[in-house]
Amino acid sequence: MSDIEVPPSKSSLAARFFKYHWKGVLTIFIPLALSPLIFYFPGRSEFRCMFLILVCCFYWISECIPLYVTSLMPIFALPAMQILSSEKTCQNYFKDTLAMFLGSLIVASAIEYCNLHKRLALKTILLVGCSPRRLHIGLVCVTSFISMWISNAATTAMMCPIVKAVLQELEMNQVVAIWMPEEKEPAVDGKKHPSRVAMAFYFGIAYASTIGGCGTLIGTGTNLTFKGLFEGRFPEATDKIDFPHFMGWAMPMVVVDTIFLFLSLQVTHLGLGRSNSQVSKELSNGAQAADSVKATVMEKYAELGPMSWHECQVLFWFLAMIILLFTRSPGFMPGWADFLNAVPIKTSAAVMLTILALFLFPQSCSHWSHFKDKGPYPTKRERSLLSWDFVHHHVPWGLVFLLGGGFALADASQESGMAKLLGQALSGLKTWPDFAIQVAAISAGIFITNFSANVPVCNILIPILQELAVAINMNPIMLVFPAGIATSMAFHLPVGTPPNAIVAGYAGIKSKYMAEAGILPTIFILLMLLLNVQTMHYLIYPSREFPAWAESPKHMDL
């Protein structure tokens, strides 16, 4: 007699349904839960805008639909909710700031295309030295520097294989163990968990990518996001967030933060200051393996061959772009854009000129062989410095939608009066000292960005802080700049920023170890931001008074 199949209970069926369809449930539940904002305040555009922003915020956090698709929602919702016209909404998706961001991604792909980034990384490691501690600081510093110029995600992805090769060489020479014992952290699907030494190297490149990305305006999308939000809200501002001012503000902090990052991981993971610890003893004996590790790095560097004409040209155009960005309109002297002042020239012009050059010039000079008296003659077309197929497959185009959606929501919050409403609701902070308000803004940025993508957090937080600054008569840039930087500083969870997710996935690191490792970096980042806003900020932006340009209600497109 066969067993009678027992039908599953309703609770188990419901659990199975939510297991497979929770994202679809959230897409319906979130708007329904927030709908009272519309029905309780009919005819109030600021509450309609608040409803849409909260829906997008929860969609971004839960990722119940892809981030980039959520970012396209304003194109439909803002006109339908009678907040912004379709034309004005769509204009936010390709402003000067976005063109500069997209252009910087394409230039970064050219550096990857010719392998210039690998040459720079490996050469610097050879110069720094190949003992374990020197390797660690070399990898951290190289990653931080490269991340200033290409995306932090691309930098981390490039450095992960280099770190893996270095660790394997250290293990082969019996310097340190790079895997945790099975009894402490069992293997998952046959893959062992990295040891604390290995995690120090992986965390070093992930956190250094985040820190280095804050050093230049093109280092990460968050920098250009708060620049665009600030210029959109205060188009007449005399305090400019341009390339030289940004680097003057951020570079000293980035240098100090990179050093502190190295020291903190040395203390927490590599036994610095604890000479009797097992790890410290192993690393002190690791100098004998330096020659072997150096040989491995030299082998990888030799595989690249001599520096090609292709790499030289890409390096030239990259440096030319940096010079053009610095000299566009530096402020302390007339720039090239000031001489061509028939119409305003912004930062995207210099970046796009560089991109045109990358597709215009050939990789080598072999095409001149066509004019020789004798062969051999070239038999194929000369390739340009950058391939469109490579750009198409390596540039994260969805980030343009992500930034554009944020700009559209920020524009809507201004037009609808929602940002002003929230700013006035926080006007009770007027009795607080400026320093206390900056502490609160920076802390909020650092805390929230650990749980969601940086750019959406920046798009939500910065407009509120701008209106708060106006409501309490505080110079807006005193809040916008440090809080904007703070929204990039995610060190605790893989979801916080792409570098964290990349190393966690690549090395199989559990979230609990990342949450622990991020404690010291978060503390010194918070302290350094507060120190920087009290020192370098007033060298770059001397005025502490509430400026006249912030009083104007006039609003201009980003």
Side-chain angles (χ1 to χ4, degrees):
M1 181 176 177
S2 60
D3 295 335
I4 300 175
E5 184 177 355
V6 179
S9 64
K10 292 184 178 180
S11 59
S12 64
L13 288 173
R16 185 182 302 175
F17 172 81
F18 282 106
K19 177 182 178 180
Y20 294 110
H21 302 289
W22 66 269
K23 290 187 176 182
V25 172
L26 281 182
T27 58
I28 299 172
F29 174 77
I30 289 172
L32 289 177
L34 296 171
S35 59
L37 284 172
I38 297 178
F39 296 123
Y40 288 173
F41 303 97
R44 298 284 299 274
S45 60
E46 57 265 47
F47 286 99
R48 293 197 301 271
C49 183
M50 188 181 298
F51 165 81
L52 177 60
I53 289 177
L54 288 174
V55 169
C56 289
C57 179
F58 282 112
Y59 279 10
W60 275 326
I61 293 172
S62 64
E63 294 192 47
C64 54
I65 59 176
L67 285 173
Y68 306 142
V69 178
T70 300
S71 303
L72 296 174
M73 190 184 300
I75 297 178
F76 157 75
L78 290 178
M81 300 173 79
Q82 300 180 3
I83 298 174
L84 284 180
S85 67
S86 290
E87 183 175 1
K88 193 168 185 181
T89 301
C90 292
Q91 286 173 355
N92 284 287
Y93 283 80
F94 207 74
K95 296 295 184 181
D96 174 79
T97 303
L98 270 172
M100 180 184 179
F101 174 67
L102 179 61
S104 67
L105 292 178
I106 296 176
V107 173
S109 69
I111 296 174
E112 294 181 60
Y113 185 58
C114 68
N115 276 330
L116 184 61
H117 59 320
K118 288 185 179 179
R119 184 179 299 278
L120 175 63
L122 294 172
K123 186 65 176 178
T124 307
I125 291 171
L126 289 173
L127 292 174
V128 170
C130 293
S131 66
R133 295 198 191 277
R134 287 189 176 186
L135 277 171
H136 190 230
I137 192 171
L139 289 165
V140 167
C141 292
V142 167
T143 305
S144 181
F145 176 77
I146 294 176
S147 186
M148 295 179 191
W149 314 107
I150 67 176
S151 74
N152 51 22
T155 303
T156 307
M158 174 201 74
M159 295 302 295
C160 277
I162 297 175
V163 169
K164 183 178 180 180
V166 167
L167 289 173
Q168 287 176 340
E169 194 62 34
L170 291 175
E171 184 187 40
M172 288 175 59
N173 287 274
Q174 300 180 347
V175 178
V176 292
I178 65 172
W179 305 110
M180 275 194 183
E182 286 283 338
E183 60 272 13
K184 186 173 182 180
E185 197 65 68
V188 178
D189 296 331
K191 188 175 182 180
K192 296 180 180 179
H193 195 283
S195 66
R196 292 188 68 82
V197 173
M199 285 191 288
F201 279 80
Y202 283 114
F203 289 149
I205 61 171
Y207 297 165
S209 292
T210 297
I211 292 171
C214 297
T216 66
L217 199 53
I218 61 175
T220 182
T222 314
N223 299 344
L224 290 169
T225 299
F226 75 78
K227 164 187 162 64
L229 294 172
F230 179 81
E231 292 178 351
R233 175 61 180 88
F234 305 109
E236 299 175 0
T238 55
D239 293 333
K240 300 294 185 182
I241 304 179
D242 53 19
F243 211 90
H245 285 87
F246 190 98
M247 284 196 70
W249 196 102
M251 276 303 299
M253 181 192 70
V254 168
V255 172
V256 176
D257 284 347
T258 302
I259 296 172
F260 275 138
L261 171 64
F262 163 73
L263 293 175
S264 69
L265 291 174
Q266 287 284 321
V267 170
T268 58
H269 289 70
L270 299 179
L272 183 64
R274 303 188 302 277
S275 57
N276 294 326
S277 67
Q278 181 65 28
V279 172
S280 185
K281 290 178 181 178
E282 291 175 349
L283 292 181
S284 63
N285 296 328
Q288 61 190 8
D291 292 339
S292 178
V293 176
K294 183 176 181 180
T296 300
V297 177
M298 288 182 66
E299 181 181 350
K300 287 184 173 292
Y301 187 79
E303 290 174 0
L304 298 176
M307 194 168 182
S308 65
W309 180 238
H310 184 189
E311 292 173 86
C312 291
Q313 288 188 89
V314 171
L315 179 61
F316 169 80
W317 285 110
F318 173 71
L319 294 176
M321 181 189 75
I322 301 301
I323 293 171
L324 288 172
L325 288 171
F326 263 105
T327 58
R328 180 185 64 87
S329 184
F332 58 87
M333 59 175 282
W336 58 268
D338 297 319
F339 293 105
L340 305 172
N341 58 359
V343 294
I345 299 177
K346 294 192 175 182
T347 50
S348 59
V351 180
M352 290 303 167
L353 174 63
T354 305
I355 292 173
L356 290 173
L358 292 173
F359 283 98
L360 178 64
F361 287 91
Q363 290 183 10
S364 67
C365 299
S366 63
H367 54 282
W368 294 112
S369 300
H370 288 287
F371 301 98
K372 294 192 305 183
D373 293 333
K374 296 182 179 181
Y377 298 103
T379 58
K380 60 181 180 180
R381 181 178 62 86
E382 183 67 72
R383 295 183 178 180
S384 59
L385 297 176
L386 183 58
S387 161
W388 180 254
D389 287 338
F390 187 87
V391 171
H392 177 70
H393 289 99
H394 288 78
V395 171
W397 303 98
L399 287 175
V400 176
F401 299 144
L402 186 59
L403 269 67
F407 287 164
L409 291 176
D411 198 4
S413 70
Q414 177 64 28
E415 288 288 334
S416 67
M418 189 212 76
K420 186 176 182 180
L421 178 69
L422 294 177
Q424 290 175 343
L426 296 172
S427 60
L429 299 179
K430 191 171 185 178
T431 57
W432 289 23
D434 291 348
F435 181 74
I437 298 174
Q438 289 169 335
V439 171
I442 293 171
S443 300
I446 291 177
F447 176 77
I448 298 172
T449 198
N450 277 285
F451 300 95
S452 185
N454 310 134
V455 173
V457 171
C458 186
N459 277 314
I460 294 166
L461 183 63
I462 295 303
I464 296 174
L465 293 179
Q466 289 178 159
E467 297 305 324
L468 170 63
V470 173
I472 63 177
N473 292 335
M474 182 180 182
N475 192 328
I477 204 166
M478 293 173 63
L479 279 183
V480 170
F481 213 123
I485 295 288
T487 57
S488 292
M489 301 299 188
F491 300 117
H492 291 282
L493 296 173
V495 72
T497 189
N500 293 358
I502 289 171
V503 297
Y506 186 87
I509 300 174
K510 291 188 175 181
S511 296
K512 63 180 181 180
Y513 295 107
M514 184 173 289
E516 173 205 349
I519 294 174
L520 271 184
T522 297
I523 292 173
F524 69 69
I525 286 291
L526 173 62
L527 296 177
M528 279 305 304
L529 274 170
L530 293 173
L531 177 62
N532 216 53
V533 83
Q534 300 300 322
T535 52
M536 289 303 301
H537 182 91
Y538 295 114
L539 294 177
I540 306 299
Y541 303 108
S543 176
R544 297 187 181 217
E545 303 298 325
F546 184 67
W549 48 259
E551 297 175 353
S552 172
K554 182 180 178 181
H555 177 69
M556 185 180 294
D557 287 342
L558 299 173

